[in-house]
Amino acid sequence: MPFLQPFHASPYDFQRYTEVGLREQFGAFEVLSVRVGAGPTSGLLWVLQEWLAMVLSFGSRRLYRAILPLTWVLSPLKLLEHHPMAAQAASGFVIEVRRPG
């Protein structure tokens, strides 16, 4: 579930979920776990990569699509994500539930 990350699945991006919000949303189920699926570093890098592609493309969609993959060179920084407070600014969560009964 997305939390802190840029607009995605355009134009069908309608909701953001916190850890507490997911537990509430799936309250009719047995919640087995809620964990960070993508940490704050992922969210930060996604925003930075989008921003760099926007700025360096000077408004050209074609140039933007060409530049964006070049920003993925920053992706190894995601190895820094494992922090006990990662849920406070996670890029997204994974929830595992079981149907009752």
Side-chain angles (χ1 to χ4, degrees):
M1 299 289 182
F3 181 45
L4 296 176
Q5 54 185 243
F7 189 72
H8 67 288
S10 175
Y12 303 105
D13 183 6
F14 300 116
Q15 296 179 328
R16 303 295 165 162
Y17 295 94
T18 62
E19 182 176 356
V20 175
L22 283 170
R23 289 182 185 279
E24 182 71 23
Q25 189 77 22
F26 288 90
F29 294 86
E30 177 188 355
V31 177
L32 303 175
S33 71
V34 179
R35 65 186 185 282
V36 173
T41 307
S42 289
L44 180 64
L45 283 176
W46 190 352
V47 170
L48 178 60
Q49 290 165 331
E50 291 284 342
W51 182 82
L52 285 171
M54 284 186 331
V55 168
L56 298 175
S57 66
F58 302 101
S60 165
R61 288 183 189 269
R62 175 179 268 167
L63 192 52
Y64 168 85
R65 285 192 295 271
I67 291 171
L68 188 59
L70 299 177
T71 66
W72 297 344
V73 71
L74 300 171
S75 293
L77 292 173
K78 293 178 185 179
L79 297 172
L80 303 171
E81 319 210 90
H82 304 290
H83 188 280
M85 298 302 295
Q88 298 302 308
S91 180
F93 292 97
V94 175
I95 184 168
E96 183 180 7
V97 298
R98 181 181 305 151
R99 196 175 334 175

